Amino acid sequence: MKIGQQNILTISRTSDYGLYLKDDENLEVLLPSRYVTQDMKIGDKISVFLYRDSEDRPVATTTTPFAMVGDFAQLKITGVNAVGAFADWGLPKELLVPFSEQKLRLKPDRWYILYVYLDDNTGRIVASAKLEKFLNNVVPHYKVGDVTNILVWQRTDLGFKVIVDNLHSGMLYFNELPHELNIGERYQARVKRVRDDGKIDLTLGGHVSDRTKDISEKIMSMLGNSGGVLHVSDHSSPDVINRMLGCSKKDFKKAIGALFKQKLITIETDCIRSTE
């Protein structure tokens, strides 16, 4: 049985408090009555999450928490006491963030990106706000164009720091973003470059060629609906381009460059014109 993870266990017997589940080694854990449904019967295999209750006993639940051991997630702090802060992670027993795992004191009713892990000394599931020590501990083996799952972590002067596949730190740059991002949002992103220090530069959306094609088609459609003129050009600000076309200036310039080569548009100082 793995505390802090989903487990496939077999219903072994009933009790006044719920159902007992066993693993392949015949170790048992209780699934409390509030999670038991009428269709559950002895011999069935069910998927449950294991954690420790308020008396530090292993217990099973059919509720999936907002994050499991090994996950980064944005969680809301519900309270603080003498040992640390407590986060709502979707289970009756809230998740402890010890003071030793806080860079700055966490405040109630605020949301923070936290890492969930199993404390080796106590065997309890806890969380940490000191994210850096859980990142970049393995060498990234990505190729350019590989698809990753990211969590937006922190805004910087250059763009957004992101957590890549729960393992690495990465970066999305403002001048390549199709739209504004919010801390805690999750996306799929493609690898643009793996730096010598192991950090990863990424881009949102599909391959560059796919994005260029999509934006080109949108530009031609908009030109058709606006009398053949769009008052935007490669001199326009990134904000104007993003509001009008929902893309980065870099992708916009690639798209109009491709359309110009196909002789479908002309590019002027303050606008682009259809040649059709």
Side-chain angles (χ1 to χ4, degrees):
M1 296 186 186
K2 295 182 179 179
I3 298 292
Q5 300 289 347
Q6 290 291 134
N7 292 253
I8 304 296
L9 302 177
T10 303
I11 300 173
S12 59
R13 59 189 175 94
T14 62
S15 81
D16 294 338
Y17 305 103
L19 295 175
Y20 277 93
L21 315 177
K22 67 177 182 179
D23 63 10
D24 293 338
E25 297 177 356
N26 289 321
L27 297 175
E28 288 189 322
V29 65
L30 177 68
L31 177 68
S33 299
R34 63 179 173 273
Y35 302 116
V36 175
T37 58
Q38 291 183 346
D39 61 329
M40 293 179 181
K41 58 183 183 296
I42 292 176
D44 286 350
K45 291 184 178 294
I46 59 173
S47 178
V48 292
F49 179 79
L50 299 187
Y51 69 112
R52 294 185 183 277
D53 64 15
S54 57
E55 297 181 20
D56 219 23
R57 300 170 300 190
V59 65
T61 175
T62 54
T63 300
T64 301
F66 303 146
M68 301 186 194
V69 166
D71 288 343
F72 293 85
Q74 187 180 44
L75 301 175
K76 183 179 180 180
I77 300 301
T78 57
V80 178
N81 68 11
V83 296
F86 291 85
D88 176 12
W89 64 322
L91 297 180
K93 183 186 178 185
E94 294 179 318
L95 186 63
L96 172 65
V97 189
F99 285 128
S100 61
E101 293 298 324
Q102 300 177 32
K103 296 170 68 174
L104 300 172
R105 288 292 183 255
L106 306 187
K107 297 181 179 180
D109 298 321
R110 294 192 181 181
W111 295 77
Y112 298 90
I113 304 294
L114 303 173
Y115 179 75
V116 182
Y117 69 101
L118 200 62
D119 184 274
D120 290 334
N121 295 322
T122 64
R124 296 172 183 169
I125 304 169
V126 293
S128 174
K130 296 181 177 180
L131 307 187
E132 289 88 348
K133 68 180 183 178
F134 300 102
L135 293 168
N136 305 320
N137 293 319
V138 295
V139 177
H141 294 289
Y142 293 109
K143 302 185 298 295
V144 173
D146 281 352
V147 176
T148 66
N149 293 303
I150 65 168
L151 172 67
V152 181
W153 164 27
Q154 194 176 74
R155 187 185 182 101
T156 73
D157 292 338
L158 297 176
F160 287 93
K161 286 184 179 181
V162 299
I163 296 166
V164 185
D165 290 336
N166 277 327
L167 290 171
H168 312 287
S169 61
M171 192 76 183
L172 290 167
Y173 294 93
F174 286 131
N175 66 344
E176 297 178 341
L177 290 177
H179 53 76
E180 181 66 19
L181 306 183
N182 295 308
I183 304 302
E185 290 181 331
R186 296 182 183 272
Y187 296 93
Q188 283 195 329
R190 290 187 182 274
V191 174
K192 179 182 174 184
R193 177 174 60 169
V194 178
R195 296 179 176 272
D196 292 339
D197 61 3
K199 295 180 181 178
I200 305 162
D201 291 342
L202 304 118
T203 58
L204 287 183
H207 285 293
V208 172
S209 59
D210 294 333
R211 296 201 306 271
T212 300
K213 181 174 180 291
D214 291 343
I215 297 165
S216 297
E217 290 175 351
K218 186 172 185 178
I219 290 170
M220 293 307 297
S221 174
M222 292 176 70
L223 284 167
N225 294 326
S226 62
V229 180
L230 275 183
H231 291 284
V232 63
S233 74
D234 55 1
H235 295 289
S236 300
S237 71
D239 287 343
V240 169
I241 292 169
N242 183 267
R243 284 197 300 270
M244 183 175 288
L245 293 160
C247 67
S248 68
K249 183 170 182 176
K250 186 173 183 179
D251 283 348
F252 168 74
K253 291 176 72 171
K254 287 180 179 178
I256 62 173
L259 292 173
F260 180 77
K261 287 180 181 178
Q262 297 172 58
K263 299 181 179 180
L264 295 174
I265 64 168
T266 59
I267 303 173
E268 301 181 14
T269 303
D270 60 351
C271 69
I272 56 178
R273 296 181 184 272
S274 172
T275 59
E276 296 182 343

